[in-house]
Structures are given as C-alpha cells and as structure tokens.
Amino acid sequence: MDGEDDFELGGRRYRSRLIVGTGKYADFAETRRAIDASGAEIVTVAVRRVNITDPGRENLLDHVPPEIFTILPNTAGCSTAEEAIRTARLAREAGVGNLVKIEVIGDEKTLFPDVPATIEASRVLVKEGFLVLPYVTDDPVACRRLEDVGCAAVMPLAAPIGSGLGIRNPYNLKIIIEQSRVPVIVDAGVGCASDAARALELGCDAVLMNTAIAGARDPVLMAEAMRLGVEAGRKSFLAGRIPRKLHASASSPIEGMLD
C-alpha cells in the first residue's frame, strides 16, 4: 500500500529512493525533463557551480521550484572543511533549508573525499542545526564516526565520482548497512540502471547520481531507466533472494512423480 515503504530523511517521507543532481545538462529545461522522468523528489545542487542565489541571472530554482522538490545543496568544489562550512551557510541563506550534502575533496585526480575534513565540517554544521548528508569513502569506520557526530545519513561512494564503474566493494557497503542506524545512500560511481538496482538490492536506502544520467546519450531516457532500476532493486530486496548454491536445484518438485 502507498506510504508503507516510503523513504524517510530528515524528518520527511519520500516515495522515491532516487536522488538526482543538476549539473552537466545542456540547459535547465533538459535538467527539469530528466528530473521529471526520474521521479526524484530530492534534487541536489552544487552551490558553487549552479546559480540558486543571484536573482539577476537565470536561476535553477525557477525550473526546479522548492515548493515541488526538496533542494539538497551540496558543497562540491570545496577542498577544506572551512570552505564546505561557508558554502553550506550560503545555501541556507538562499532559503533552501537546513538539508545539506557535505563534500570535501581530498584529491583532485580521484576526487576521493578528505575524510577528516568531512567529519570536521559535519560536526560544526550539525551543531548549527543542519541536517548533514556527508559524501565519504566506503569505509565503515568513517561512516560510524559521521553517524556519531549526528549526521542525518551517510553517503558512501560506489566508485570514484563520474567513473561509471558501479559498486566496487559490495562487502564494505554491507557492513555499513548492517551497522548504521541512519539511512545509507550510495553516492557516486553509478553508471547504469543495473548499478542502481544492485545498490538497493544490497539494502541501501537510496542512491544519488548525476553524471550517469546527464552524461548519457539520452539523459531523459536514462533517467527513466534509473527510476525503474531503483524500484526493481528495492522490490527485489524486500522480496528476498534465494540462497546461492554450488549445484543445481530442480525448479519443480519431483517427489511422488514415480509413485
């Protein structure tokens, strides 16, 4: 029934478990078409790269209004805790609320996050009343530290940002899922719908992506595929897969056939 399997984040409930980004599209109109096709209700915005603060220029919020979508500002482009904190405060001043994705890049080649800086920025922002969603490596210890400082969710990567490699370490993700008391959202590295489905089949609460949709040959069609992949993965997880076996097992009962 409707509502029984909603996704809860920051005190709000959502039907969709797909969160999408807004970068790399041809224009804001294509961005909106892809978002609509994805069914996403939460949309993340790079505050330092996409205009949501200057009313004198074309503003993303005119195409993706906060009255319809939950806007999740992110601190992409920040390389220190101080930059991330300042960017999060700027987003809140723009009137998009307290939900924020913290991203502090520690290496420009791999775009892997700086874990200590991410933890520090998250600690400060949680104390300031932000609902913090930190982008982090698929490290169970780091995820536990972030949960301990009060983050509203943890967002371990599947693979490097924009790589499209899919989930590289499902075993670490399983550990993170098992230990977490907050939502686990796979962030970065998804390439196709089967990657999204796998994340949900593992038990992740949601998946966040941008390049996999915006960089596709047909972004709107890929957005729809991702929506279906997430839905299928969640249903598969709830249904429960059969155990893996080394040998074959007859799909039809054979007892009594020769009696």
Short mmCIF file of all heavy atoms in Angstrom, two decimals, residues 146-182:
data_model
loop_
_atom_site.label_atom_id
_atom_site.label_comp_id
_atom_site.label_asym_id
_atom_site.label_seq_id
_atom_site.Cartn_x
_atom_site.Cartn_y
_atom_site.Cartn_z
N LEU A 146 30.84 9.53 11.38
CA LEU A 146 29.91 10.54 10.89
C LEU A 146 28.54 10.39 11.52
O LEU A 146 27.87 11.38 11.84
CB LEU A 146 29.83 10.48 9.37
CG LEU A 146 31.08 11.01 8.66
CD1 LEU A 146 31.16 10.48 7.23
CD2 LEU A 146 31.09 12.53 8.68
N GLU A 147 28.12 9.17 11.73
CA GLU A 147 26.85 8.94 12.41
C GLU A 147 26.95 9.42 13.86
O GLU A 147 26.01 10.03 14.39
CB GLU A 147 26.49 7.46 12.36
CG GLU A 147 25.15 7.14 12.97
CD GLU A 147 24.76 5.67 12.85
OE1 GLU A 147 25.28 4.99 11.95
OE2 GLU A 147 23.94 5.22 13.66
N ASP A 148 28.10 9.18 14.49
CA ASP A 148 28.29 9.58 15.88
C ASP A 148 28.24 11.09 16.07
O ASP A 148 27.82 11.57 17.15
CB ASP A 148 29.63 9.05 16.41
CG ASP A 148 29.62 7.53 16.62
OD1 ASP A 148 28.52 6.95 16.64
OD2 ASP A 148 30.72 6.95 16.75
N VAL A 149 28.67 11.86 15.07
CA VAL A 149 28.62 13.33 15.22
C VAL A 149 27.24 13.89 14.92
O VAL A 149 27.01 15.09 15.08
CB VAL A 149 29.69 14.05 14.35
CG1 VAL A 149 31.08 13.55 14.68
CG2 VAL A 149 29.38 13.93 12.87
N GLY A 150 26.31 13.01 14.47
CA GLY A 150 24.93 13.44 14.32
C GLY A 150 24.44 13.62 12.90
O GLY A 150 23.40 14.26 12.68
N CYS A 151 25.15 13.05 11.91
CA CYS A 151 24.70 13.19 10.52
C CYS A 151 23.36 12.49 10.31
O CYS A 151 23.07 11.46 10.93
CB CYS A 151 25.74 12.60 9.56
SG CYS A 151 27.26 13.59 9.48
N ALA A 152 22.55 13.05 9.42
CA ALA A 152 21.21 12.51 9.17
C ALA A 152 21.23 11.27 8.30
O ALA A 152 20.24 10.53 8.23
CB ALA A 152 20.34 13.58 8.51
N ALA A 153 22.33 11.04 7.61
CA ALA A 153 22.53 9.86 6.77
C ALA A 153 24.02 9.76 6.49
O ALA A 153 24.79 10.68 6.81
CB ALA A 153 21.76 9.98 5.45
N VAL A 154 24.45 8.64 5.93
CA VAL A 154 25.83 8.52 5.43
C VAL A 154 25.75 8.19 3.95
O VAL A 154 24.83 7.49 3.50
CB VAL A 154 26.64 7.46 6.19
CG1 VAL A 154 26.92 7.92 7.61
CG2 VAL A 154 25.95 6.10 6.20
N MET A 155 26.73 8.70 3.18
CA MET A 155 26.69 8.58 1.73
C MET A 155 28.01 8.02 1.21
O MET A 155 28.83 8.76 0.65
CB MET A 155 26.37 9.93 1.11
CG MET A 155 25.09 10.54 1.64
SD MET A 155 24.70 12.16 0.92
CE MET A 155 24.13 11.66 -0.68
N PRO A 156 28.23 6.72 1.39
CA PRO A 156 29.47 6.13 0.87
C PRO A 156 29.46 6.03 -0.65
O PRO A 156 28.42 5.80 -1.26
CB PRO A 156 29.47 4.73 1.51
CG PRO A 156 28.03 4.42 1.73
CD PRO A 156 27.39 5.74 2.07
N LEU A 157 30.64 6.21 -1.25
CA LEU A 157 30.73 6.11 -2.70
C LEU A 157 30.65 4.65 -3.16
O LEU A 157 31.01 3.73 -2.42
CB LEU A 157 32.02 6.76 -3.21
CG LEU A 157 33.37 6.29 -2.63
CD1 LEU A 157 33.85 4.99 -3.24
CD2 LEU A 157 34.42 7.37 -2.84
N ALA A 158 30.16 4.47 -4.38
CA ALA A 158 30.21 3.16 -5.02
C ALA A 158 31.51 3.01 -5.77
O ALA A 158 32.11 1.92 -5.84
CB ALA A 158 29.03 3.00 -5.98
N ALA A 159 31.98 4.11 -6.36
CA ALA A 159 33.20 4.20 -7.13
C ALA A 159 33.52 5.69 -7.27
O ALA A 159 32.71 6.53 -6.87
CB ALA A 159 33.02 3.54 -8.50
N PRO A 160 34.68 6.05 -7.83
CA PRO A 160 35.00 7.48 -7.97
C PRO A 160 33.93 8.26 -8.71
O PRO A 160 33.25 7.73 -9.60
CB PRO A 160 36.32 7.46 -8.74
CG PRO A 160 36.97 6.18 -8.33
CD PRO A 160 35.82 5.20 -8.22
N ILE A 161 33.79 9.54 -8.37
CA ILE A 161 32.79 10.42 -8.97
C ILE A 161 32.91 10.40 -10.50
O ILE A 161 34.00 10.58 -11.05
CB ILE A 161 32.98 11.86 -8.46
CG1 ILE A 161 32.62 11.95 -6.97
CG2 ILE A 161 32.13 12.84 -9.25
CD1 ILE A 161 32.94 13.30 -6.35
N GLY A 162 31.79 10.18 -11.16
CA GLY A 162 31.75 10.25 -12.61
C GLY A 162 32.39 9.10 -13.34
O GLY A 162 32.45 9.09 -14.57
N SER A 163 32.86 8.08 -12.60
CA SER A 163 33.58 6.98 -13.24
C SER A 163 32.66 5.99 -13.95
O SER A 163 33.07 5.31 -14.89
CB SER A 163 34.44 6.23 -12.21
OG SER A 163 33.60 5.54 -11.27
N GLY A 164 31.44 5.85 -13.46
CA GLY A 164 30.52 4.88 -14.03
C GLY A 164 30.92 3.43 -13.81
O GLY A 164 30.42 2.54 -14.49
N LEU A 165 31.79 3.19 -12.84
CA LEU A 165 32.29 1.83 -12.61
C LEU A 165 31.32 0.95 -11.85
O LEU A 165 31.51 -0.26 -11.77
CB LEU A 165 33.63 1.89 -11.86
CG LEU A 165 34.83 2.42 -12.65
CD1 LEU A 165 36.02 2.61 -11.72
CD2 LEU A 165 35.19 1.46 -13.78
N GLY A 166 30.30 1.52 -11.26
CA GLY A 166 29.38 0.73 -10.45
C GLY A 166 29.97 0.41 -9.09
O GLY A 166 31.01 0.94 -8.69
N ILE A 167 29.31 -0.46 -8.36
CA ILE A 167 29.72 -0.77 -6.99
C ILE A 167 30.97 -1.64 -7.02
O ILE A 167 30.96 -2.77 -7.48
CB ILE A 167 28.59 -1.48 -6.24
CG1 ILE A 167 27.40 -0.53 -6.10
CG2 ILE A 167 29.05 -1.95 -4.86
CD1 ILE A 167 26.15 -1.18 -5.55
N ARG A 168 32.07 -1.10 -6.49
CA ARG A 168 33.36 -1.80 -6.49
C ARG A 168 33.54 -2.67 -5.26
O ARG A 168 34.27 -3.65 -5.31
CB ARG A 168 34.52 -0.79 -6.57
CG ARG A 168 34.57 0.04 -7.83
CD ARG A 168 34.88 -0.79 -9.06
NE ARG A 168 33.67 -1.40 -9.63
CZ ARG A 168 33.66 -2.43 -10.45
NH1 ARG A 168 34.79 -3.04 -10.76
NH2 ARG A 168 32.53 -2.89 -10.94
N ASN A 169 32.92 -2.31 -4.14
CA ASN A 169 33.13 -3.07 -2.91
C ASN A 169 31.80 -3.29 -2.20
O ASN A 169 31.48 -2.62 -1.21
CB ASN A 169 34.11 -2.34 -1.99
CG ASN A 169 34.64 -3.24 -0.90
OD1 ASN A 169 34.00 -4.23 -0.53
ND2 ASN A 169 35.80 -2.91 -0.36
N PRO A 170 31.01 -4.25 -2.66
CA PRO A 170 29.71 -4.50 -2.03
C PRO A 170 29.84 -4.99 -0.59
O PRO A 170 28.92 -4.79 0.21
CB PRO A 170 29.09 -5.58 -2.92
CG PRO A 170 30.24 -6.26 -3.59
CD PRO A 170 31.26 -5.18 -3.79
N TYR A 171 30.98 -5.59 -0.25
CA TYR A 171 31.15 -6.12 1.11
C TYR A 171 31.28 -5.00 2.13
O TYR A 171 30.70 -5.07 3.22
CB TYR A 171 32.36 -7.06 1.14
CG TYR A 171 32.23 -8.14 0.10
CD1 TYR A 171 32.98 -8.09 -1.07
CD2 TYR A 171 31.33 -9.20 0.27
CE1 TYR A 171 32.85 -9.07 -2.05
CE2 TYR A 171 31.19 -10.18 -0.70
CZ TYR A 171 31.94 -10.10 -1.85
OH TYR A 171 31.80 -11.07 -2.83
N ASN A 172 32.02 -3.95 1.79
CA ASN A 172 32.08 -2.80 2.70
C ASN A 172 30.70 -2.15 2.85
O ASN A 172 30.30 -1.75 3.94
CB ASN A 172 33.08 -1.76 2.18
CG ASN A 172 34.49 -2.03 2.67
OD1 ASN A 172 34.81 -3.15 3.04
ND2 ASN A 172 35.33 -1.01 2.64
N LEU A 173 29.98 -2.04 1.74
CA LEU A 173 28.65 -1.46 1.82
C LEU A 173 27.74 -2.28 2.72
O LEU A 173 26.95 -1.72 3.49
CB LEU A 173 28.03 -1.34 0.42
CG LEU A 173 28.58 -0.22 -0.47
CD1 LEU A 173 27.88 -0.24 -1.82
CD2 LEU A 173 28.42 1.15 0.19
N LYS A 174 27.83 -3.60 2.63
CA LYS A 174 27.01 -4.45 3.50
C LYS A 174 27.33 -4.20 4.97
O LYS A 174 26.43 -4.15 5.81
CB LYS A 174 27.23 -5.92 3.16
CG LYS A 174 26.58 -6.36 1.86
CD LYS A 174 25.05 -6.31 1.94
CE LYS A 174 24.50 -7.39 2.85
NZ LYS A 174 23.00 -7.37 2.85
N ILE A 175 28.61 -4.03 5.31
CA ILE A 175 28.99 -3.75 6.69
C ILE A 175 28.40 -2.42 7.13
O ILE A 175 27.86 -2.28 8.24
CB ILE A 175 30.53 -3.75 6.84
CG1 ILE A 175 31.10 -5.15 6.59
CG2 ILE A 175 30.93 -3.25 8.23
CD1 ILE A 175 32.61 -5.18 6.50
N ILE A 176 28.53 -1.41 6.26
CA ILE A 176 27.99 -0.09 6.59
C ILE A 176 26.49 -0.16 6.83
O ILE A 176 25.95 0.41 7.78
CB ILE A 176 28.33 0.92 5.47
CG1 ILE A 176 29.84 1.16 5.42
CG2 ILE A 176 27.58 2.24 5.67
CD1 ILE A 176 30.31 1.88 4.17
N ILE A 177 25.78 -0.88 5.97
CA ILE A 177 24.33 -1.03 6.10
C ILE A 177 23.97 -1.72 7.42
O ILE A 177 23.06 -1.30 8.14
CB ILE A 177 23.76 -1.81 4.91
CG1 ILE A 177 23.89 -0.98 3.62
CG2 ILE A 177 22.31 -2.20 5.15
CD1 ILE A 177 23.74 -1.79 2.36
N GLU A 178 24.69 -2.79 7.74
CA GLU A 178 24.40 -3.56 8.95
C GLU A 178 24.61 -2.75 10.23
O GLU A 178 23.89 -2.92 11.21
CB GLU A 178 25.27 -4.82 8.98
CG GLU A 178 24.86 -5.87 7.96
CD GLU A 178 25.83 -7.03 7.89
OE1 GLU A 178 26.83 -7.02 8.66
OE2 GLU A 178 25.63 -7.93 7.06
N GLN A 179 25.60 -1.86 10.23
CA GLN A 179 25.93 -1.12 11.47
C GLN A 179 25.18 0.19 11.60
O GLN A 179 25.10 0.75 12.70
CB GLN A 179 27.44 -0.84 11.52
CG GLN A 179 27.88 0.26 10.56
CD GLN A 179 29.38 0.57 10.64
OE1 GLN A 179 30.16 -0.24 11.13
NE2 GLN A 179 29.78 1.72 10.16
N SER A 180 24.61 0.71 10.51
CA SER A 180 24.07 2.07 10.53
C SER A 180 22.67 2.13 11.12
O SER A 180 21.82 1.28 10.85
CB SER A 180 24.05 2.64 9.11
OG SER A 180 25.37 2.82 8.63
N ARG A 181 22.43 3.18 11.88
CA ARG A 181 21.10 3.46 12.42
C ARG A 181 20.45 4.61 11.64
O ARG A 181 19.34 5.02 11.96
CB ARG A 181 21.20 3.82 13.90
CG ARG A 181 21.80 2.72 14.77
CD ARG A 181 21.82 3.12 16.25
NE ARG A 181 22.57 4.36 16.45
CZ ARG A 181 23.88 4.42 16.64
NH1 ARG A 181 24.60 3.30 16.64
NH2 ARG A 181 24.49 5.58 16.84
N VAL A 182 21.18 5.15 10.67
CA VAL A 182 20.66 6.22 9.81
C VAL A 182 20.64 5.70 8.38
O VAL A 182 21.28 4.68 8.07
CB VAL A 182 21.55 7.49 9.91
CG1 VAL A 182 21.52 8.05 11.32
CG2 VAL A 182 22.98 7.21 9.46
#
